[in-house]
Amino acid sequence: MALNVAVQMDPIERINIRGDSTFALLLEAQARGHRLSYYTPDRLAMIQGAVFATTQPLTVRDQAGEHFNLGDGQRMPLSAFDVVLMRQDPPFDLNYITATHFLERIHPKTLVINDPAAVRNAPEKMFVTEFPQLMPPTLLTRDLAEIKAFRAEHGDIVMKPLYGHGGGAVFRLTREDLNFGSLYDLFSTNFREAWVVQKFLPEVKDGDKRIILVDGEFAGAVNRVPAADDLRSNMVRGGSPKETELSPREREICTTIGPKLRERGLLFVGIDVIGGWLTEINVTSPTGIRAIRNLGGPDVAALIWDKIEKKRKG
Ligand SMILES: Nc1ncnc2c1ncn2[C@@H]1O[C@H](COP(=O)(O)OP(=O)(O)O)[C@@H](O)[C@H]1O
Ligand SMILES: [Mg+2]
């Protein structure tokens, strides 16, 4: 059964196809005979509650520089599609939240992956707090006294923005670090929200593991080891992907959170685990599936399309 699939994503000409999970999903969909259409979030329009976008027919090819072809734009009601992949990248800001409201109008009649209301309700570093037993000691606040007390208790800490992504503005502070006061001031002027103060996990030198769950079940994993001169494991910051297996603790994390993800319609999720501690549950536009495949792991894109096809059949 061929599906009409629309992908809402950032400009396709700018993606790096080697590592792009959205691109892997598109290649797999096309190989299965599904019809692809493409639009960027700024083409969305809502009129009297009905959602439209100017979409373009899309074909993809696994060849850098010549990786896509787009047909003529056509204004379409998004409800005309069987599936919409919401794959725009963070920042998770009011623009993102607005897009989830748009897509909520068509879901679930048109299957939106991931469920847009659930995406809105699960900012990645906030969602983790529903599983306190799985997370490292973590404080969310902008209150100086709270941070000082947490720092006195835990020694080395990490400070990072609650809605940050890609390793942006992630700092480690040792117990004695004299930059704390200035960094506090910088955070309080730059961020309007509470931010994350977390116990520093020395195991990060062995990597931050990205584990993919599809419809609540473990589907594949890749370890990301930070460069020697950086705290951050994010691949965009020089972290290197390494083949990996799950420890018993990581399996326990998957079986604990899996059912909650499935309940909420969060079909494609990437969680991050450092030293056996859950630090993020990525539901917006998780990455890692190409790295998993390149390292000889499972074909997560195929698992995702198996699930989507099954759901569309009812
Ligand atoms: N508590 C921590 N202990 C050690 N390293 C950390 C900690 N928190 C974050 N890091 C490092 O910083 C990177 C980015 O932090 P993360 O919380 O994943 O935010 P982002 O959303 O920007 O990826 C992680 O991959 C890890 O290398
Ligand atoms: Mg991360």
Side-chain angles (χ1 to χ4, degrees):
M1 171 197 42
L3 297 172
N4 274 320
V5 178
V7 61
Q8 172 175 317
M9 63 185 287
D10 300 308
I12 192 165
E13 59 273 17
R14 287 193 222 144
I15 63 173
N16 169 11
I17 66 166
R18 298 265 162 275
D20 197 276
S21 293
T22 305
F23 195 71
L25 287 176
L26 296 175
L27 284 172
E28 179 65 21
Q30 180 175 275
R32 291 174 178 228
H34 302 315
R35 285 179 294 273
L36 299 177
S37 297
Y38 160 90
Y39 66 94
T40 51
D42 53 7
R43 310 310 286 274
L44 284 168
M46 199 196 291
I47 299 179
Q48 300 299 113
V51 183
F52 295 83
T54 296
T55 67
Q56 293 173 273
L58 168 70
T59 53
V60 285
R61 194 178 317 113
D62 202 3
Q63 205 179 319
E66 292 170 51
H67 60 282
F68 70 98
N69 271 105
L70 290 173
D72 292 337
Q74 194 187 349
R75 185 169 175 272
M76 293 283 290
L78 287 186
S79 57
F81 292 95
D82 301 306
V83 177
V84 170
L85 301 176
M86 187 190 195
R87 290 292 304 175
Q88 77 207 68
D89 287 325
F92 187 79
D93 55 9
L94 279 173
N95 178 40
Y96 214 106
I97 291 191
T98 306
T100 66
H101 282 288
F102 274 68
L103 294 182
E104 196 178 353
R105 305 310 300 249
I106 59 164
H107 182 80
K109 213 166 149 277
T110 292
L111 179 65
V112 181
I113 302 294
N114 286 324
D115 180 322
V119 167
R120 189 169 64 238
N121 280 329
E124 43 220 34
K125 295 184 183 68
M126 190 63 91
F127 193 6
V128 180
T129 63
E130 292 184 31
F131 308 98
Q133 74 283 16
L134 303 180
M135 68 194 297
T138 305
L139 165 69
L140 305 181
T141 191
R142 47 190 297 122
D143 184 88
L144 181 59
E146 287 285 347
I147 302 177
K148 281 187 170 169
F150 185 90
R151 196 175 173 223
E153 184 181 349
H154 293 289
D156 292 5
I157 59 166
V158 166
M159 286 215 319
K160 54 191 174 184
L162 183 54
Y163 301 108
H165 60 102
V170 178
F171 293 88
R172 174 194 174 179
L173 289 163
T174 59
R175 189 182 280 281
E176 304 79 24
D177 200 315
L178 296 178
N179 293 307
F180 170 69
S182 286
L183 200 58
Y184 174 84
D185 295 343
L186 205 63
F187 269 61
S188 47
T189 46
N190 274 285
F191 304 113
R192 291 167 52 87
E193 312 84 19
W195 60 85
V196 181
V197 185
Q198 199 161 60
K199 185 179 166 69
F200 167 70
L201 302 167
E203 302 95 324
V204 70
K205 67 174 189 331
D206 304 318
D208 177 351
K209 199 174 288 188
R210 164 56 54 91
I211 303 172
I212 305 287
L213 292 103
V214 175
D215 209 19
E217 275 167 38
F218 168 68
V222 57
N223 196 21
R224 297 161 305 172
V225 178
D229 60 354
D230 207 309
L231 168 71
R232 301 164 302 167
S233 317
N234 310 72
M235 291 192 258
V236 286
R237 307 291 180 184
S240 33
K242 299 273 192 273
E243 205 187 322
T244 187
E245 311 245 293
L246 291 199
S247 68
R249 163 75 172 179
E250 289 159 347
R251 292 201 173 275
E252 178 198 324
I253 292 175
C254 290
T255 52
T256 306
I257 72 169
K260 312 273 183 218
L261 302 176
R262 182 202 293 243
E263 256 165 45
R264 297 191 189 197
L266 295 168
L267 186 132
F268 178 13
V269 174
I271 65 170
D272 294 338
V273 180
I274 305 173
W277 297 105
L278 179 65
T279 59
E280 284 192 275
I281 304 177
N282 291 276
V283 303
T284 51
S285 184
T287 58
I289 69 180
R290 284 219 112 178
I292 290 169
R293 189 85 176 117
N294 291 341
L295 291 165
D299 188 346
V300 178
L303 295 172
I304 290 171
W305 281 107
D306 287 347
K307 285 286 181 198
I308 294 175
E309 288 166 5
K310 212 161 135 206
K311 282 188 195 291
R312 270 297 61 160
K313 271 192 207 126

Coordinates of all heavy atoms in Angstrom, one line a residue, residues 102-182:
F102 N -0.4 23.6 14.9 CA -0.9 23.5 13.5 C -1.1 22.0 13.2 O -2.2 21.6 12.8 CB 0.2 24.0 12.5 CG 0.1 25.5 12.2 CD1 0.4 26.4 13.2 CD2 -0.3 25.9 10.9 CE1 0.3 27.8 12.9 CE2 -0.3 27.3 10.7 CZ 0.0 28.2 11.7
L103 N -0.1 21.2 13.5 CA -0.2 19.7 13.1 C -1.2 19.0 14.0 O -1.8 18.0 13.6 CB 1.2 19.1 13.1 CG 2.1 19.6 12.1 CD1 3.5 18.9 12.2 CD2 1.6 19.5 10.7
E104 N -1.5 19.5 15.2 CA -2.4 18.9 16.0 C -3.8 18.9 15.4 O -4.6 18.0 15.7 CB -2.5 19.6 17.4 CG -3.2 18.8 18.5 CD -3.1 19.6 19.8 OE1 -2.5 20.6 19.9 OE2 -3.8 19.1 20.7
R105 N -4.1 19.8 14.5 CA -5.4 19.9 13.8 C -5.6 18.8 12.9 O -6.8 18.5 12.6 CB -5.5 21.2 13.0 CG -5.3 22.5 13.8 CD -6.1 22.6 15.1 NE -7.5 22.5 14.9 CZ -8.3 23.5 15.2 NH1 -7.9 24.7 15.6 NH2 -9.6 23.3 15.0
I106 N -4.6 18.1 12.4 CA -4.8 17.0 11.4 C -4.6 15.7 12.0 O -5.0 14.7 11.4 CB -3.9 17.2 10.2 CG1 -2.4 17.2 10.6 CG2 -4.2 18.5 9.4 CD1 -1.5 17.0 9.4
H107 N -3.9 15.6 13.2 CA -3.6 14.3 13.8 C -4.8 13.9 14.7 O -5.4 14.7 15.3 CB -2.4 14.5 14.7 CG -1.9 13.2 15.4 ND1 -1.2 12.3 14.7 CD2 -2.1 12.8 16.6 CE1 -0.9 11.3 15.5 NE2 -1.5 11.6 16.7
P108 N -5.2 12.6 14.7 CA -4.5 11.4 14.1 C -5.1 11.0 12.8 O -4.7 9.9 12.3 CB -4.7 10.4 15.2 CG -6.1 10.7 15.8 CD -6.2 12.2 15.7
K109 N -6.1 11.7 12.3 CA -6.6 11.3 11.0 C -5.5 11.2 10.0 O -5.3 10.1 9.3 CB -7.7 12.2 10.5 CG -8.8 11.5 9.7 CD -10.0 12.4 9.6 CE -10.7 12.0 8.3 NZ -10.1 12.6 7.1
T110 N -4.7 12.2 9.9 CA -3.4 12.1 9.2 C -2.4 11.7 10.3 O -2.4 12.4 11.4 CB -3.0 13.4 8.6 OG1 -3.8 13.7 7.5 CG2 -1.5 13.4 8.1
L111 N -1.7 10.7 10.2 CA -0.8 10.2 11.2 C 0.4 11.2 11.3 O 1.2 11.2 10.3 CB -0.4 8.8 11.0 CG 0.6 8.2 12.0 CD1 -0.1 8.1 13.4 CD2 1.0 6.8 11.5
V112 N 0.6 11.9 12.3 CA 1.7 12.8 12.5 C 2.8 12.1 13.4 O 2.4 11.7 14.5 CB 1.4 14.2 13.0 CG1 2.6 15.1 13.1 CG2 0.3 14.9 12.1
I113 N 4.0 12.0 12.9 CA 5.0 11.3 13.6 C 6.1 12.4 13.9 O 6.6 13.0 13.0 CB 5.7 10.2 12.8 CG1 4.7 9.2 12.4 CG2 6.9 9.6 13.5 CD1 4.1 8.4 13.5
N114 N 6.3 12.7 15.2 CA 5.7 12.1 16.4 C 4.4 12.9 16.7 O 4.3 14.1 16.2 CB 6.6 12.3 17.6 CG 7.7 11.2 17.6 OD1 7.6 10.1 17.1 ND2 8.9 11.6 18.0
D115 N 3.5 12.4 17.5 CA 2.3 13.0 17.9 C 2.6 14.5 18.4 O 3.3 14.7 19.3 CB 1.6 12.3 19.1 CG 0.3 12.9 19.5 OD1 0.3 14.2 19.6 OD2 -0.6 12.2 19.9
P116 N 2.1 15.5 17.6 CA 2.5 16.8 17.9 C 2.2 17.4 19.3 O 3.0 18.1 19.9 CB 1.8 17.7 16.9 CG 0.7 16.8 16.3 CD 1.1 15.4 16.5
A117 N 1.1 16.9 19.9 CA 0.8 17.4 21.2 C 1.7 16.8 22.2 O 2.2 17.4 23.2 CB -0.7 17.1 21.6
A118 N 2.1 15.5 22.0 CA 3.0 14.8 22.9 C 4.4 15.5 22.8 O 5.1 15.6 23.8 CB 3.1 13.4 22.6
V119 N 4.8 15.9 21.6 CA 6.1 16.5 21.4 C 6.1 17.8 22.2 O 7.1 18.1 22.9 CB 6.3 16.8 19.9 CG1 7.5 17.8 19.7 CG2 6.6 15.5 19.1
R120 N 5.0 18.5 22.1 CA 4.9 19.8 22.8 C 5.1 19.6 24.3 O 5.6 20.4 25.0 CB 3.6 20.5 22.5 CG 3.5 21.9 23.0 CD 2.3 22.6 22.3 NE 1.0 21.9 22.7 CZ 0.1 21.4 21.9 NH1 0.3 21.5 20.6 NH2 -1.0 20.9 22.3
N121 N 4.5 18.5 24.8 CA 4.5 18.3 26.3 C 5.8 17.6 26.8 O 5.8 17.3 28.0 CB 3.3 17.4 26.6 CG 2.0 18.2 26.7 OD1 2.1 19.4 27.0 ND2 0.9 17.6 26.4
A122 N 6.7 17.4 25.9 CA 7.9 16.6 26.3 C 9.2 17.2 25.9 O 10.0 16.6 25.2 CB 7.8 15.2 25.8
P123 N 9.5 18.5 26.4 CA 10.8 19.0 26.1 C 11.8 18.1 26.6 O 11.7 17.5 27.7 CB 10.8 20.3 26.9 CG 9.4 20.7 27.2 CD 8.6 19.4 27.2
E124 N 12.9 17.8 25.8 CA 13.8 16.7 26.1 C 14.4 16.6 27.5 O 14.5 15.6 28.1 CB 14.8 16.5 25.0 CG 15.4 17.8 24.6 CD 15.6 17.9 23.0 OE1 14.8 17.3 22.3 OE2 16.6 18.4 22.6
K125 N 14.8 17.8 28.0 CA 15.4 17.7 29.3 C 14.4 17.8 30.5 O 14.7 17.5 31.6 CB 16.5 18.8 29.5 CG 17.6 18.7 28.5 CD 18.7 19.7 28.7 CE 19.8 19.6 27.7 NZ 19.4 19.9 26.3
M126 N 13.2 18.2 30.1 CA 12.1 18.2 31.1 C 11.4 16.9 31.3 O 11.1 16.4 32.4 CB 11.1 19.3 30.6 CG 10.0 19.6 31.6 SD 10.7 20.4 33.1 CE 10.6 22.1 32.7
F127 N 11.2 16.2 30.1 CA 10.6 14.9 30.1 C 11.3 13.9 31.0 O 10.7 13.1 31.8 CB 10.6 14.4 28.7 CG 9.7 13.2 28.4 CD1 8.8 12.7 29.3 CD2 9.7 12.6 27.1 CE1 7.9 11.6 29.0 CE2 8.9 11.6 26.8 CZ 8.0 11.1 27.8
V128 N 12.6 14.0 31.1 CA 13.4 13.1 31.9 C 13.0 13.1 33.4 O 13.0 12.1 34.1 CB 14.9 13.4 31.8 CG1 15.7 12.5 32.7 CG2 15.4 13.4 30.4
T129 N 12.5 14.3 33.8 CA 12.1 14.4 35.2 C 10.9 13.6 35.7 O 10.7 13.4 36.9 CB 11.8 15.9 35.6 OG1 10.6 16.3 34.9 CG2 13.0 16.8 35.3
E130 N 10.3 13.0 34.7 CA 9.2 12.0 35.0 C 9.8 10.7 35.5 O 9.0 9.8 35.9 CB 8.3 11.8 33.8 CG 7.4 13.0 33.5 CD 6.4 12.8 32.4 OE1 5.9 11.7 32.3 OE2 6.1 13.8 31.7
F131 N 11.1 10.5 35.3 CA 11.8 9.3 35.7 C 12.9 9.6 36.7 O 14.1 9.3 36.3 CB 12.3 8.5 34.5 CG 11.2 8.4 33.4 CD1 11.1 9.3 32.3 CD2 10.3 7.3 33.5 CE1 10.1 9.1 31.4 CE2 9.3 7.2 32.6 CZ 9.2 8.1 31.5
P132 N 12.6 10.1 37.8 CA 13.7 10.6 38.7 C 14.7 9.5 39.1 O 15.9 9.8 39.3 CB 12.9 11.1 40.0 CG 11.6 10.6 39.9 CD 11.3 10.3 38.4
Q133 N 14.2 8.3 39.2 CA 15.2 7.2 39.5 C 16.2 6.9 38.5 O 17.2 6.3 38.7 CB 14.4 5.9 40.0 CG 13.7 5.1 38.8 CD 12.5 5.7 38.2 OE1 12.1 6.9 38.4 NE2 11.7 4.9 37.5
L134 N 15.9 7.4 37.2 CA 16.8 7.1 36.1 C 17.8 8.2 35.8 O 18.8 8.1 35.1 CB 16.0 6.8 34.9 CG 15.0 5.6 34.9 CD1 14.3 5.5 33.6 CD2 15.7 4.3 35.3
M135 N 17.5 9.4 36.4 CA 18.3 10.6 36.0 C 19.4 10.9 37.1 O 19.3 10.5 38.2 CB 17.4 11.8 35.8 CG 16.8 12.3 37.1 SD 15.4 13.5 36.8 CE 16.2 14.8 36.0
P136 N 20.5 11.5 36.6 CA 21.5 11.9 37.6 C 21.0 13.0 38.4 O 19.9 13.6 38.1 CB 22.7 12.5 36.7 CG 22.0 12.9 35.4 CD 20.8 12.0 35.2
P137 N 21.6 13.3 39.6 CA 21.2 14.5 40.4 C 21.1 15.7 39.5 O 22.1 16.1 38.9 CB 22.3 14.6 41.5 CG 22.8 13.2 41.6 CD 22.8 12.6 40.2
T138 N 19.9 16.3 39.5 CA 19.6 17.4 38.6 C 18.7 18.4 39.2 O 17.7 18.1 39.8 CB 18.9 16.8 37.3 OG1 19.7 15.8 36.7 CG2 18.7 17.9 36.3
L139 N 19.1 19.7 39.0 CA 18.3 20.8 39.5 C 17.9 21.7 38.4 O 18.7 22.0 37.5 CB 19.2 21.6 40.5 CG 18.8 23.0 40.9 CD1 17.5 22.9 41.8 CD2 20.0 23.7 41.6
L140 N 16.6 22.0 38.3 CA 16.1 23.0 37.3 C 15.7 24.3 38.1 O 14.8 24.2 38.9 CB 14.9 22.5 36.6 CG 15.0 21.1 35.9 CD1 13.7 20.8 35.1 CD2 16.2 21.1 34.9
T141 N 16.4 25.4 37.8 CA 16.1 26.6 38.6 C 16.9 27.8 37.9 O 17.7 27.6 37.1 CB 16.6 26.5 40.0 OG1 16.1 27.6 40.8 CG2 18.1 26.5 40.2
R142 N 16.5 29.0 38.4 CA 17.4 30.1 38.1 C 17.7 30.8 39.4 O 18.2 32.0 39.5 CB 16.8 31.1 37.1 CG 15.3 31.4 37.2 CD 14.8 32.2 36.0 NE 15.4 33.4 35.8 CZ 16.0 33.7 34.7 NH1 16.0 32.9 33.6 NH2 16.6 34.9 34.5
D143 N 17.5 30.1 40.5 CA 17.7 30.7 41.9 C 19.1 30.4 42.3 O 19.5 29.3 42.5 CB 16.7 30.1 42.8 CG 16.8 30.7 44.2 OD1 16.1 31.7 44.4 OD2 17.5 30.2 45.0
L144 N 19.8 31.5 42.6 CA 21.2 31.4 42.9 C 21.5 30.6 44.2 O 22.4 29.7 44.2 CB 21.8 32.9 43.1 CG 23.3 32.9 43.5 CD1 24.2 32.3 42.4 CD2 23.7 34.4 43.7
A145 N 20.6 30.8 45.2 CA 20.8 30.0 46.5 C 20.7 28.5 46.2 O 21.4 27.7 46.8 CB 19.8 30.5 47.5
E146 N 19.7 28.2 45.4 CA 19.5 26.7 45.1 C 20.7 26.2 44.4 O 21.1 25.0 44.7 CB 18.3 26.6 44.2 CG 16.9 26.8 44.8 CD 16.5 25.6 45.7 OE1 17.1 24.6 45.7 OE2 15.5 25.8 46.5
I147 N 21.3 26.9 43.5 CA 22.4 26.4 42.7 C 23.6 26.3 43.6 O 24.4 25.3 43.6 CB 22.7 27.3 41.5 CG1 21.5 27.4 40.6 CG2 23.9 26.7 40.7 CD1 21.7 28.3 39.4
K148 N 23.8 27.3 44.5 CA 24.9 27.2 45.4 C 24.8 26.0 46.3 O 25.8 25.3 46.6 CB 25.0 28.5 46.3 CG 25.6 29.7 45.5 CD 25.8 30.9 46.4 CE 26.6 31.9 45.7 NZ 26.6 33.2 46.5
A149 N 23.6 25.7 46.8 CA 23.4 24.6 47.7 C 23.7 23.3 47.0 O 24.4 22.3 47.5 CB 22.0 24.6 48.3
F150 N 23.2 23.2 45.7 CA 23.4 22.0 44.9 C 24.9 21.8 44.7 O 25.4 20.6 44.7 CB 22.6 22.1 43.6 CG 22.6 20.9 42.7 CD1 21.6 20.0 42.8 CD2 23.6 20.7 41.8 CE1 21.6 18.9 42.0 CE2 23.6 19.6 40.9 CZ 22.6 18.7 41.0
R151 N 25.6 22.9 44.4 CA 27.0 22.8 44.1 C 27.8 22.3 45.3 O 28.7 21.5 45.2 CB 27.5 24.2 43.6 CG 28.8 24.2 42.9 CD 29.0 25.6 42.4 NE 30.4 25.7 41.9 CZ 31.2 26.7 42.1 NH1 30.8 27.7 42.8 NH2 32.4 26.6 41.6
A152 N 27.4 22.9 46.5 CA 28.1 22.5 47.7 C 27.9 21.0 47.9 O 28.8 20.3 48.4 CB 27.5 23.3 48.9
E153 N 26.7 20.5 47.6 CA 26.4 19.0 47.8 C 27.2 18.1 46.8 O 27.7 17.1 47.2 CB 24.9 18.8 47.8 CG 24.6 17.3 48.1 CD 23.1 17.0 48.1 OE1 22.3 18.0 48.0 OE2 22.8 15.8 48.1
H154 N 27.2 18.6 45.6 CA 27.6 17.6 44.5 C 29.0 17.9 43.9 O 29.5 17.1 43.1 CB 26.6 17.6 43.4 CG 25.3 17.0 43.8 ND1 25.1 15.7 44.1 CD2 24.1 17.6 44.0 CE1 23.9 15.4 44.4 NE2 23.2 16.6 44.4
G155 N 29.6 19.0 44.3 CA 31.0 19.3 43.8 C 31.0 19.7 42.3 O 30.4 20.7 42.0
D156 N 31.6 18.9 41.5 CA 31.6 19.3 40.1 C 30.3 19.2 39.5 O 29.6 18.2 39.6 CB 32.6 18.3 39.3 CG 34.0 18.5 39.7 OD1 34.3 19.3 40.6 OD2 34.9 17.9 39.1
I157 N 29.9 20.3 38.8 CA 28.6 20.3 38.1 C 28.7 20.7 36.7 O 29.7 21.2 36.2 CB 27.6 21.3 38.8 CG1 28.2 22.7 38.8 CG2 27.3 20.9 40.3 CD1 27.3 23.9 39.2
V158 N 27.6 20.5 36.0 CA 27.4 21.0 34.6 C 26.2 22.0 34.6 O 25.2 21.7 35.3 CB 27.1 19.8 33.6 CG1 26.6 20.3 32.3 CG2 28.4 18.9 33.5
M159 N 26.4 23.1 33.9 CA 25.3 24.0 33.7 C 25.0 24.1 32.3 O 25.9 24.2 31.4 CB 25.6 25.4 34.2 CG 25.6 25.5 35.7 SD 25.1 27.1 36.5 CE 25.8 28.4 35.5
K160 N 23.7 24.0 31.9 CA 23.3 24.0 30.5 C 21.9 24.5 30.4 O 21.1 24.4 31.3 CB 23.5 22.6 29.9 CG 22.7 21.5 30.7 CD 23.1 20.1 30.2 CE 22.5 19.0 31.0 NZ 22.9 17.7 30.6
P161 N 21.6 25.2 29.2 CA 20.2 25.7 29.1 C 19.2 24.6 28.9 O 19.5 23.5 28.4 CB 20.3 26.5 27.7 CG 21.6 26.0 27.1 CD 22.5 25.5 28.1
L162 N 18.0 24.8 29.5 CA 16.9 23.8 29.5 C 16.5 23.5 28.1 O 16.1 22.4 27.8 CB 15.8 24.4 30.3 CG 14.6 23.5 30.5 CD1 14.9 22.1 31.1 CD2 13.5 24.2 31.4
Y163 N 16.5 24.5 27.2 CA 16.0 24.3 25.8 C 17.2 24.4 24.8 O 17.0 24.7 23.7 CB 14.9 25.3 25.5 CG 13.7 25.1 26.4 CD1 13.4 26.1 27.4 CD2 13.0 24.0 26.3 CE1 12.4 25.9 28.2 CE2 11.9 23.8 27.2 CZ 11.6 24.8 28.1 OH 10.6 24.6 29.0
G164 N 18.4 24.0 25.3 CA 19.6 24.0 24.5 C 19.6 22.8 23.6 O 18.8 21.8 23.8
H165 N 20.4 22.7 22.6 CA 20.6 21.6 21.8 C 21.9 21.6 21.1 O 22.6 22.6 21.0 CB 19.4 21.5 20.7 CG 19.5 22.8 19.8 ND1 20.0 22.7 18.5 CD2 19.1 24.0 20.0 CE1 19.9 23.9 18.0 NE2 19.4 24.7 18.9
G166 N 22.3 20.4 20.6 CA 23.6 20.3 19.9 C 24.8 20.8 20.8 O 25.8 21.2 20.2
G167 N 24.7 20.6 22.1 CA 25.8 20.9 22.9 C 26.1 22.4 23.2 O 27.1 22.8 23.8
G168 N 25.2 23.3 22.7 CA 25.3 24.7 22.9 C 25.3 25.2 24.4 O 24.4 24.8 25.1
A169 N 26.3 25.9 24.8 CA 26.3 26.5 26.1 C 26.3 25.5 27.2 O 25.6 25.7 28.3 CB 25.2 27.6 26.3
V170 N 27.0 24.4 27.1 CA 27.1 23.4 28.1 C 28.5 23.6 28.8 O 29.5 23.5 28.2 CB 27.0 21.9 27.5 CG1 27.2 20.9 28.6 CG2 25.7 21.7 26.8
F171 N 28.4 23.9 30.1 CA 29.7 24.2 30.8 C 29.9 23.2 32.0 O 28.9 22.9 32.7 CB 29.6 25.6 31.4 CG 29.6 26.7 30.4 CD1 28.4 27.1 29.9 CD2 30.8 27.2 30.0 CE1 28.4 28.1 28.9 CE2 30.8 28.2 29.0 CZ 29.6 28.7 28.5
R172 N 31.1 22.8 32.2 CA 31.5 22.1 33.4 C 32.1 23.1 34.4 O 33.0 23.9 34.0 CB 32.4 21.0 33.1 CG 32.9 20.3 34.3 CD 34.1 19.4 34.0 NE 34.7 18.9 35.3 CZ 35.7 18.1 35.3 NH1 36.3 17.7 34.2 NH2 36.1 17.7 36.5
L173 N 31.7 23.0 35.7 CA 32.4 23.8 36.7 C 32.9 22.9 37.8 O 32.1 22.1 38.4 CB 31.3 24.8 37.3 CG 30.9 25.9 36.4 CD1 29.6 26.5 36.9 CD2 31.9 27.0 36.3
T174 N 34.2 23.0 38.1 CA 34.7 22.3 39.3 C 34.2 23.0 40.5 O 33.8 24.1 40.5 CB 36.2 22.2 39.2 OG1 36.7 23.5 39.2 CG2 36.7 21.4 38.0
R175 N 34.4 22.2 41.6 CA 34.0 22.8 43.0 C 34.6 24.2 43.2 O 33.9 25.0 43.8 CB 34.4 21.8 44.0 CG 33.9 22.0 45.4 CD 34.5 21.0 46.4 NE 33.8 19.7 46.4 CZ 32.6 19.5 46.9 NH1 31.9 20.5 47.6 NH2 32.0 18.4 46.9
E176 N 35.8 24.4 42.8 CA 36.5 25.6 43.2 C 36.4 26.7 42.1 O 36.9 27.8 42.2 CB 38.0 25.4 43.4 CG 38.4 24.4 44.4 CD 38.3 22.9 43.9 OE1 38.4 22.8 42.6 OE2 38.1 22.0 44.7
D177 N 35.7 26.4 41.0 CA 35.8 27.3 39.8 C 35.3 28.7 40.1 O 34.2 28.9 40.5 CB 35.0 26.7 38.6 CG 35.4 27.3 37.3 OD1 35.6 28.5 37.2 OD2 35.6 26.5 36.3
L178 N 36.2 29.7 39.9 CA 35.9 31.1 40.3 C 35.0 31.7 39.2 O 34.5 32.8 39.4 CB 37.2 31.9 40.4 CG 38.1 31.5 41.6 CD1 39.3 32.3 41.6 CD2 37.4 31.6 42.9
N179 N 34.8 31.0 38.1 CA 33.9 31.6 37.0 C 32.5 31.4 37.3 O 31.6 31.8 36.5 CB 34.3 30.9 35.7 CG 35.7 31.3 35.2 OD1 36.0 32.5 35.2 ND2 36.5 30.3 34.9
F180 N 32.2 30.7 38.4 CA 30.7 30.4 38.6 C 29.9 31.6 38.7 O 28.8 31.7 38.0 CB 30.6 29.6 40.0 CG 29.2 29.5 40.4 CD1 28.3 28.7 39.6 CD2 28.7 30.2 41.5 CE1 26.9 28.6 40.0 CE2 27.3 30.1 41.8 CZ 26.5 29.3 41.1
G181 N 30.3 32.7 39.4 CA 29.5 33.9 39.6 C 29.2 34.5 38.2 O 28.1 34.9 37.9
S182 N 30.2 34.6 37.4 CA 30.1 35.3 36.1 C 29.2 34.4 35.2 O 28.4 34.9 34.4 CB 31.4 35.5 35.4 OG 32.1 36.5 36.0

